[in-house]
Amino acid sequence: MSLYADDSKALESHPDWLQTYIDSPEKQKQLYRRTLIIVVISQIFGGAGLAAGITVGALIAQEMLGTDQFAGVPTALFTLGSAVAAYLVGRLSQRFGRRLGLAAGFLTGGIGAIGVVISALSNNILLLFASLLIYGAGTATNLQARYAGTDMASTKQRATAVSISMVSTTFGAVAGPNLVDVMGGFAVSIGVPALAGPFILAAVAFILAGLVLLVFLRPDPLLVANVIEAVKSREKEDLSIVNSNSTQRIERRGFIVGTTLMILTQMVMVGIMTMTPVHMRHHGHGLSEVGMVISIHVAFMYLPSFVTGILVDKIGRTAMAIASGATLLAAGVFAAIAPADSMLFLIIALALLGLGWNFGLICGTALIVDATHPTSRAKTQGTVDVLIALAGATGGALSGMVAAQSSFATLSLAGGFLSLLLLPVVVWSRYKKTNNG
């Protein structure tokens, strides 16, 4: 039986603890703050877990397969796995709450990371691919956790809530790539191939993130938000309309713009990011230098989030969507013209790439939350993240092929110009809004 507001039995009576949240705006604010704290802690661990796949996933495949052409396959696999996980985590969250949905996703990702380590030990490419699919559950959950902070947020707090969650990811995500050499040395000391070292860190990090949510995310913010919304609707004597049409209660224009924005930014970011370590290794850069560039890239993916969230809430979704496209275009151009031996140019390119993605993700997330109703929000968010993950999988899979058949510069320029597709979508949304009054 569902615990949520669209369950008629759940609406007849509320446990005493739940009733206190319904009756007290102050308790609701306290839950909002508490939820953010728990999400922040889990995201610190989760960020460390997702960095492993970004940093050495392509290098493991390159080493096992002996060719660059399929170096993008690991990224494609764990992003494809994250697509399936995003769907399942969204459904689990809608039915049983954020706590169980997010905890299950992180714990599954930890199991996948353990599988990657075992595959490296046994040199088993099929096990590697299967494990990367499962590892994708952790990356999907790390992304979906940003929604938990918005469940109890007001309209003017939503982008800020997302940004706080994402800023906290920075600490783990930046530390992860910089620990490549350290974890590689640790792995070698216990008889594991060096490139598998970061996945040892990922396994521990994802499992800890899952346990933090499972133990401490109480009461469940989505449960409370759904019941509060249901009570408000009943007081307005339109609860039957909410229940019968909850899946239709999506503001289509905002939904389309938000989804398109996040899909395009994910595809561009993953495509260029995936081949950067391979490009650098081909031109004599060591693992520590690769780790530094990727860590700066990840820092710009998450660290500007707090400022980005404020900007999205203050100056508007449209302006930040345009800023995302312009920044990604600049990233593609910088990556294309960067001399292969220039760390500075590569750092600038990857920093811009992370920043453009940051603008797009936070702005798109706010648009999706604005456009959905609490009674169907979690499963809708899960569906959107499926599309984001599939876009990442496509970008990752094609990146190796494009770079192998042409060059890293061509790949970067293609990604930059792809981001320009955001502009007609934004123009269309403004045109529709004007014509609809």
Side-chain angles (χ1 to χ4, degrees):
M1 183 181 73
S2 171
L3 297 173
Y4 293 97
D6 54 355
D7 190 320
S8 59
K9 292 183 180 179
L11 294 173
E12 293 300 322
S13 61
H14 308 295
D16 290 341
W17 68 265
L18 186 52
Q19 191 65 47
T20 62
Y21 286 96
I22 296 170
D23 295 337
S24 172
E26 184 57 36
K27 290 279 286 182
Q28 294 172 26
K29 291 177 183 177
Q30 289 175 4
L31 179 58
Y32 167 65
R33 292 191 290 266
R34 174 180 168 78
T35 298
L36 278 181
I37 291 171
I38 301 307
V39 169
V40 163
I41 295 170
S42 71
Q43 290 292 80
I44 291 172
F45 291 122
L50 69 85
I54 294 173
T55 309
V56 298
L59 297 177
I60 288 179
Q62 181 194 36
E63 188 173 274
M64 283 191 178
L65 295 170
T67 177
D68 290 350
Q69 188 158 351
F70 301 105
V73 170
T75 302
L77 284 171
F78 71 70
T79 48
L80 184 61
S82 72
V84 177
Y87 178 86
L88 295 175
V89 169
R91 282 349 186 233
L92 279 172
S93 296
Q94 189 69 56
R95 184 166 180 80
F96 300 109
R98 298 286 188 194
R99 185 174 70 90
L100 291 179
L102 295 176
F106 273 130
L107 293 173
T108 302
I111 293 170
I114 293 171
V116 172
V117 175
I118 295 172
S119 71
L121 269 171
S122 58
N123 199 34
N124 188 325
I125 194 69
L126 293 179
L127 179 59
L128 172 68
F129 289 165
S131 298
L132 285 166
L133 278 169
I134 299 170
Y135 166 81
T139 65
T141 308
N142 188 268
L143 198 57
Q144 277 210 26
R146 75 194 188 278
Y147 289 118
T150 69
D151 288 330
M152 298 299 298
S154 67
T155 303
K156 293 183 178 180
Q157 293 175 315
R158 285 169 180 166
T160 303
V162 174
S163 69
I164 291 172
S165 169
M166 290 181 62
V167 164
S168 61
T169 306
T170 309
F171 298 104
V174 172
N178 281 308
L179 292 174
V180 167
D181 276 347
V182 174
M183 292 306 301
F186 172 75
V188 170
S189 72
I190 61 173
V192 175
L195 288 176
F199 282 95
I200 297 175
L201 174 63
V204 174
F206 278 158
I207 289 170
L208 285 175
L211 291 175
V212 165
L213 290 165
L214 188 63
V215 174
F216 296 108
L217 195 61
R218 301 168 183 268
D220 194 286
L222 186 58
L223 165 62
V224 176
N226 271 313
V227 175
I228 289 172
E229 184 67 28
V231 169
K232 288 179 180 177
S233 297
R234 183 167 58 181
E235 290 172 353
K236 295 176 183 177
E237 298 182 345
D238 61 5
L239 179 60
S240 60
I241 297 174
V242 173
N243 283 335
S244 62
N245 295 319
S246 64
T247 56
Q248 280 75 48
R249 291 194 61 176
I250 297 175
E251 201 279 300
R252 299 293 177 185
R253 178 179 53 82
F255 177 81
I256 291 170
V257 176
T259 303
T260 303
L261 176 59
M262 290 192 285
I263 285 173
L264 286 176
T265 53
Q266 184 77 2
M267 183 176 290
V268 173
M269 187 276 291
V270 171
I272 297 174
M273 174 203 68
T274 297
M275 292 309 295
T276 299
V278 176
H279 172 69
M280 291 181 68
R281 289 299 295 275
H282 274 319
H283 291 88
H285 296 285
L287 271 180
S288 60
E289 291 172 307
V290 171
M292 180 190 300
V293 170
I294 295 299
S295 68
I296 291 171
H297 164 66
V298 173
F300 275 83
M301 285 174 65
Y302 294 100
L303 196 56
S305 294
F306 188 67
V307 175
T308 302
I310 294 173
L311 290 174
V312 171
D313 281 335
K314 297 292 185 184
I315 71 174
R317 282 43 166 165
T318 299
M320 293 306 294
I322 294 171
S324 173
T327 307
L328 289 172
L329 174 61
V333 172
F334 259 94
I337 65 174
D341 59 351
S342 172
M343 284 287 289
L344 178 61
F345 268 73
L346 285 171
I347 286 171
I348 292 172
L350 270 290
L352 288 171
L353 187 67
L355 185 62
W357 178 87
N358 178 272
F359 289 167
L361 187 75
I362 294 180
C363 182
T365 299
L367 284 165
I368 294 298
V369 176
D370 291 344
T372 52
H373 188 270
T375 53
S376 60
R377 184 168 289 157
K379 62 184 179 183
T380 303
Q381 290 163 344
T383 301
V384 171
D385 278 6
V386 169
L387 299 176
I388 295 171
L390 289 175
T394 302
L398 292 178
S399 64
M401 297 178 187
V402 171
Q405 297 300 320
S406 54
S407 67
F408 179 74
T410 300
L411 170 69
S412 301
L413 284 175
F417 285 110
L418 182 63
S419 66
L420 291 179
L421 291 176
L422 290 173
L423 296 180
V425 175
V426 172
V427 170
W428 168 81
S429 72
R430 299 302 298 171
Y431 172 79
K432 294 284 287 184
K433 184 175 181 180
T434 302
N435 280 286
N436 290 336

